[in-house]
Amino acid sequence: MRKRLLAGLALVGALALATAGCSGSSSSGDSTAGASGGSAKQLTVGFAQTGSESGWRAANTQSMKDAFSEKNGFKLIFNAADNKQEAQIAAVRSFINQGVDAIVIAPITVDGWDDVLKEAKDAGIPVVLEDRTINVSDKSLYASWIGDDFEKEGETAGAWAKQTFTGATNMVVLEGTTGSAPAIDRATGFAKGMGSAPITTLDSQTGNFTRADGKTVMEGFLQKYGKTINVLFAQNDDMGLGALDAITAAGLVPGKDIQIVSIDATHDGLQALSDGKFNFVVECNPLLGDQVAQLVKKVVAGDPVEKAYTATDQSFTQAQATAALPDRKY
Ligand code: GZL
């Protein structure tokens, strides 16, 4: 069960002492001070990232690398698993064998983590989750999680669809990575937000959070359903951006013939919204690095921490996207 405790924002603020908001973050804390102050030895941290599947992921990786810098008291061992869970688990095992001080994981999928997390626990190495969540039998196998509320993101997108489509409407869905928390929770949230709106889901398939697969799957949807499609729910911007090429190639106008609602609010996603090719975008904040770094220091220092810290997200209409773009840092 992945019910997450919505921690008070004040707590997130306390963790991110030197962090700016969504517009970009730069740790400026004392490079040697541990979370509880005073000098501390450099912490070696292994970070098992999902891969490099999307613009969101690139921003998240950069945020983590900026935060886990030598200046901030870390030696970072980084691994990107090319969206293959077995590779990600192998990376975690390698961190354990190297005897790192802590492990951070952005878990590709929700299941399959019990064994390797037990190995980390047996080795006395604390694990912090960032971004995606997992299903585990024993929650003591990880110290804490920081990320976004995917179900709320989906619900916000679904509520926009309910408000926008009052007559019979046909929808297709580009799902994220199969078995991943954002794909599962965004679908759940969208259904909640959509409620009893007269929206029929013609088809729903994974585009693996990538532009290439988003385009390919949308081409298939267009061949099968053509002009009967009224709206696309893309579970991330990259799949929606890939779908734009397919929609245009089919002689249809994205944002008009087929409306698009997407999640992430990357720069390219907000640009598509500002240009009228997307119709509504929900943010999923990738700039988690500073909070994760502060949390790791507190966990290693043995300070008390919450089980979950949830980042704050917003949503964008076309006008809001146009206004936000100049200052957008990702
Ligand atoms: C969400 C993150 C998802 C993004 C995608 O927190 O896990 O993975 O929505 C990314 O863009 O690939």
Side-chain angles (χ1 to χ4, degrees), residues 53-54 56-57 131-132 148 150 182 186 209 235-236 238 263-264 284:
E53 72 280 2
S54 64
W56 189 99
R57 190 61 56 195
D131 178 20
R132 299 182 186 175
D148 298 76
F150 306 132
R186 285 171 182 168
F209 283 134
Q235 288 190 350
N236 85 324
D238 286 70
I263 298 176
D264 272 354
C284 177

Side-chain angles (χ1 to χ4, degrees), residues 208-229:
N208 296 304
F209 283 134
T210 68
R211 291 194 190 203
D213 289 2
K215 179 182 178 187
T216 303
V217 174
M218 190 67 198
E219 285 167 347
F221 288 161
L222 287 161
Q223 279 160 15
K224 199 167 177 185
Y225 307 105
K227 293 187 172 122
T228 66
I229 301 170

Side-chain angles (χ1 to χ4, degrees), residues 181-266:
I184 296 165
D185 292 355
R186 285 171 182 168
T188 302
F190 191 95
K192 214 158 115 182
M194 186 175 76
S196 58
I199 299 173
T200 303
T201 301
L202 296 177
D203 215 326
S204 183
Q205 287 179 36
T206 185
N208 296 304
F209 283 134
T210 68
R211 291 194 190 203
D213 289 2
K215 179 182 178 187
T216 303
V217 174
M218 190 67 198
E219 285 167 347
F221 288 161
L222 287 161
Q223 279 160 15
K224 199 167 177 185
Y225 307 105
K227 293 187 172 122
T228 66
I229 301 170
N230 306 115
V231 57
L232 162 65
F233 169 34
Q235 288 190 350
N236 85 324
D237 291 346
D238 286 70
M239 294 188 291
L241 293 164
L244 290 181
D245 295 340
I247 294 168
T248 307
L252 298 173
V253 180
K256 291 186 173 45
D257 297 329
I258 297 179
Q259 296 203 44
I260 299 175
V261 51
S262 178
I263 298 176
D264 272 354
T266 57

